[in-house]
Amino acid sequence: MTFEIHKPMPEIGKKLSSPQSWAQIFEDKSFKSDFEELILPEYVQACRWFAGKSSTIKQVRIQTVLPVAAGSVGFYILILEVQFKESFSHQYLLPISFIYQLSELEEIESQAICRMVADTTDGFIYDALYVSAFREMIFENILKNKIVHPDIGSIKFEKADSFSVKSTKKIDSHILKAEQSNTAVIYNDQYFFKWYRRVFPESNPDLEISRYLNQNHFNHTAQYCGGISWNRPNKPPISFGLLQQKLANEGDSWNWMLDEVNRFFIQLDKDPKGSFNYHANEKLFEPIKPKDLAPQVTEMVSPRLIESIILMGKRTAQMHLALASDHSQTDFKPVPFNPDYSVWLKNKVTYLFDQRIGLLEKNINKLRGLAREYGQTFLDRRNEVLEEILGFDESKLCSMRTRVHGDYHLGQILMQDMDFYILDFEGEPESTIRDRKVKQSPLKDVAGMLRSFHYAVYATLFDESKKWTRSQTDQFEIAERFYQLVCGLYMHGFIKTAIKGSLDIGYKPEIQYLLRFHLLEKAVYELGYELNSRPAWAIIPLRGIMKIMGYQ
């Protein structure tokens, strides 16, 4: 077999006299070896969904080959193991197809993985998701509750009981180009399918929680329609994809919040010497009732924003009430705090803390102004912060732990008709799949949203296209007051709904204790992303850490 690589597309030489030849191609060991060594590393590195771009690929190995068919057309689902020189590995899901003519595709040639060059038959190896026949096969198999038996185990296409389609004669589908870590397909402009790219050794929490919330009548998420899982002998299932109803929406809450924060600061700039005091008893993260707001607030903050933030808190509590509602399912049954959880949490956060301290020491000279001052304070007082983390004491806690969203922020919430719909339950990207499924306090998600509010406020201040009239000191002081107002309104909506629904989050001291811990954990987590990606924004999590620790 001859093999050559040419730009813009790699070529591989292999005679394929018919589609039947394609069906046995991975039995050719030399082809498989060349495909692994000369095609896949470069291809994977260029994919948007590849999460290891900051690391160096050592090799790519085809771990599993699962043949599937759609009528007379054959496809392979490959599980790739990407090994890095930094001594860790990722697994990725890559479905592939062989195409003889590009006219068979609606996508451009650059989507191909490589070109097959032979004496009699040329063609292209493609990511099968860009082939309409593969996408149609996914949808039809889910509708049929079909089970496919490849060489190993079985691939189950599961249909939700509530999901039905009047006719499947015409299935229109296309790739949603905005998706990053996974690949999304839109069917008939009604259904949203997510093909998972990262593979984990057990079921994805996104699929589990989406199915569970629909079963327990939480209506403020996308309707679960079905999923795809690979069931292996004597091992947990591996999730391949999730099908949901496509939600009509007006965008995510992040952009909406940026608009609201911008509107507030524009209003504030109309009176350059004015101040902003929203409440007689201003305590950080305390619930704030609308009736207790000072008259000045309604002049500068729209009633719509006040009502919407409270509603967002309410929807968050309703999600957690649903997650805690079915005690018959072991994976979702609430459990108490115990020493094992404390050890797990301390180990996890301590590892995170040490890694972030190392990053900060390495990058402190890249920081400027207040960011550098805060960074140095954090380094100087690292032992106090670590002591706060290691001081977590489960004996103080009487509330219950449940499954949580795990990566909860404004970007995970869609808006429609001034209401909120929660999506994307995959969990924290840096965590293992098992860590994402550990039951925790619902206040972990609350802390995630409070940190997201903090980001929205400062992202507006850091927008270079805005020309604010106040000094940075004044602007930051007012920003913190506005942030506390938003947090207080959100906490009011959350706690009122949680208590009414008997969600066991503890009494006030316990709520404050857990919230403080998870806010600190989240801010330390955020610091790593900012130092790696945009050091100018490191001031946001650093300012959060300073506030939580009382250093401001």
Side-chain angles (χ1 to χ4, degrees):
M1 178 176 65
T2 59
F3 185 86
E4 296 179 348
I5 293 179
H6 301 284
K7 297 300 183 181
M9 182 185 298
E11 295 184 354
I12 185 168
K14 178 68 180 175
K15 289 186 178 181
L16 292 174
S17 58
S18 68
Q20 285 72 32
S21 301
W22 163 246
Q24 285 83 41
I25 197 166
F26 282 102
E27 295 176 12
D28 185 326
K29 292 182 179 179
S30 62
F31 166 81
K32 181 172 178 286
S33 176
D34 286 342
F35 192 57
E36 289 176 329
E37 293 177 15
L38 300 172
I39 296 294
L40 287 174
E42 184 177 356
Y43 174 76
V44 167
Q45 182 71 45
C47 289
R48 290 183 298 172
W49 41 259
F50 179 57
K53 294 186 185 299
S54 61
S55 300
T56 304
I57 294 177
K58 180 180 179 181
Q59 68 174 2
V60 179
R61 187 172 66 89
I62 299 173
Q63 196 174 63
T64 307
V65 178
L66 300 173
V68 293
S72 61
V73 183
F75 302 100
Y76 289 104
I77 297 175
L78 307 182
I79 296 180
L80 309 178
E81 181 184 28
V82 181
Q83 298 176 358
F84 298 97
K85 290 183 177 179
E86 292 84 351
S87 300
F88 70 98
S89 65
H90 287 172
Q91 281 70 45
Y92 290 93
L93 203 58
L94 177 65
I96 63 170
S97 176
F98 182 80
I99 300 298
Y100 288 92
Q101 298 293 332
L102 282 179
S103 59
E104 298 177 40
L105 300 167
E106 71 277 16
E107 301 292 338
I108 60 174
E109 181 178 306
S110 62
Q111 298 291 346
I113 296 172
C114 67
R115 183 180 178 188
M116 298 284 290
V117 181
D119 295 336
T120 58
T121 306
D122 291 357
F124 301 84
I125 295 180
Y126 241 79
D127 182 327
L129 283 164
Y130 290 93
V131 180
S132 59
F134 184 76
R135 299 196 299 265
E136 289 171 12
M137 180 268 290
I138 288 173
F139 194 77
E140 290 173 351
N141 282 359
I142 288 175
L143 275 175
K144 295 174 183 176
N145 263 322
K146 191 168 182 177
I147 298 177
V148 174
H149 296 279
D151 297 337
I152 307 169
S154 62
I155 301 174
K156 181 179 181 181
F157 295 81
E158 176 189 74
K159 183 182 80 71
D161 293 339
S162 59
F163 177 47
S164 63
V165 177
K166 291 182 180 179
S167 173
T168 59
K169 289 183 179 179
K170 180 172 176 55
I171 300 175
D172 177 61
S173 65
H174 65 273
I175 299 288
L176 186 65
K177 291 179 172 57
E179 191 72 15
Q180 296 291 328
S181 59
N182 300 300
T183 300
V185 178
I186 304 297
Y187 289 102
N188 294 347
D189 203 34
Q190 297 180 61
Y191 307 102
F192 178 94
F193 177 78
K194 183 188 297 184
W195 180 269
Y196 298 121
R197 291 296 188 170
R198 280 288 302 273
V199 180
F200 299 99
E202 55 185 283
S203 58
N204 195 303
D206 189 29
L207 192 152
E208 287 184 352
I209 293 177
S210 296
R211 180 200 291 130
Y212 179 88
L213 287 176
N214 275 263
Q215 289 173 346
N216 288 277
H217 312 295
F218 177 65
N219 298 322
H220 286 269
T221 188
Q223 179 187 343
Y224 173 75
C225 298
I228 308 174
S229 298
W230 177 37
N231 298 315
R232 305 168 295 164
N234 304 314
K235 293 180 180 179
I238 290 178
S239 303
F240 283 3
L242 168 67
L243 181 67
Q244 297 174 297
Q245 191 84 27
K246 182 188 173 191
L247 279 172
N249 67 88
E250 298 153 3
D252 63 39
S253 297
W254 170 254
N255 289 314
W256 166 78
M257 191 67 193
L258 289 181
D259 289 341
E260 292 293 341
V261 175
N262 186 56
R263 188 175 292 112
F264 167 76
F265 281 113
I266 289 174
Q267 186 70 22
L268 186 70
D269 259 13
K270 292 178 181 179
D271 182 10
K273 295 183 179 180
S275 61
F276 179 67
N277 297 296
Y278 61 82
H279 193 262
N281 183 23
E282 298 177 4
K283 291 183 179 179
L284 190 61
F285 308 126
E286 286 278 329
I288 298 172
K289 298 177 182 178
K291 67 181 182 65
D292 294 333
L293 293 174
Q296 179 201 25
V297 172
T298 53
E299 296 174 8
M300 301 184 67
V301 179
S302 70
R304 184 184 69 174
L305 175 61
I306 294 170
E307 294 168 3
S308 295
I309 294 297
I310 293 172
L311 179 60
M312 190 184 293
K314 178 179 179 180
R315 296 292 180 239
T316 304
Q318 289 171 335
M319 173 185 71
H320 285 101
L321 285 164
L323 286 171
S325 62
D326 188 352
H327 291 212
S328 66
Q329 294 195 38
T330 303
D331 288 345
F332 286 87
K333 182 180 178 180
V335 296
F337 286 88
N338 58 30
D340 288 344
Y341 172 78
S342 290
V343 171
W344 170 84
L345 183 63
K346 290 175 186 178
N347 287 341
K348 179 175 179 289
V349 182
T350 301
Y351 172 81
L352 181 72
F353 176 84
D354 289 342
Q355 196 266 349
R356 269 35 177 187
I357 286 290
L359 269 176
L360 184 57
E361 288 177 326
K362 183 179 178 181
N363 292 279
I364 188 72
N365 292 331
K366 295 181 182 178
L367 305 183
R368 298 290 180 268
L370 270 179
R372 184 162 182 172
E373 180 184 324
Y374 291 156
Q376 193 59 56
T377 300
F378 184 28
L379 290 176
D380 293 343
R381 306 182 78 164
R382 69 183 77 180
N383 290 336
E384 294 176 21
V385 182
L386 184 59
E387 188 176 329
E388 182 84 11
I389 292 168
L390 295 176
F392 186 86
D393 184 0
E394 79 282 348
S395 68
K396 297 179 179 180
L397 307 174
C398 299
S399 58
M400 301 294 280
R401 296 184 287 123
T402 67
R403 289 289 290 271
V404 297
H405 185 289
D407 188 30
Y408 197 52
H409 55 79
L410 288 162
Q412 308 285 39
I413 302 179
L414 294 181
M415 295 191 68
Q416 177 65 19
D417 298 329
M418 293 311 300
D419 210 336
F420 301 98
Y421 297 83
I422 303 167
L423 300 172
D424 294 333
F425 300 95
E426 286 194 67
E428 203 171 67
E430 287 188 27
S431 297
T432 66
I433 204 75
R434 291 190 177 181
D435 283 353
R436 298 183 200 190
K437 295 183 181 184
V438 170
K439 294 169 184 175
Q440 304 201 65
S441 169
L443 293 163
K444 178 179 175 64
D445 284 343
V446 172
M449 187 55 67
L450 299 188
R451 292 294 311 140
S452 193
F453 290 147
H454 203 228
Y455 263 78
V457 171
Y458 282 93
T460 305
L461 291 184
F462 294 161
D463 187 342
E464 294 181 357
S465 68
K466 315 291 185 194
K467 304 299 180 185
W468 309 114
T469 60
R470 295 171 182 265
S471 69
Q472 185 185 71
T473 302
D474 286 348
Q475 203 83 331
F476 278 11
E477 182 180 343
I478 292 173
E480 288 294 333
R481 287 178 177 271
F482 178 77
Y483 168 59
Q484 288 180 222
L485 168 65
V486 171
C487 291
L489 294 170
Y490 177 85
M491 291 300 298
H492 170 65
F494 175 82
I495 290 177
K496 180 180 179 182
T497 306
I499 291 173
K500 184 178 179 180
S502 300
L503 181 66
D504 193 348
I505 54 174
Y507 292 104
K508 185 175 178 179
E510 186 168 343
I511 292 171
Q512 288 291 316
Y513 180 81
L514 285 167
L515 197 56
R516 175 184 168 88
F517 185 91
H518 288 304
L519 282 164
L520 183 60
E521 174 194 11
K522 186 67 175 176
V524 170
Y525 176 87
E526 293 162 353
L527 182 60
Y529 178 84
E530 302 306 343
L531 290 172
N532 281 323
S533 305
R534 46 186 185 187
W537 279 37
I539 190 174
I540 302 177
L542 283 168
R543 194 170 176 87
I545 293 168
M546 297 298 104
K547 194 80 172 180
I548 295 160
M549 293 300 297
Y551 297 156
Q552 287 184 336

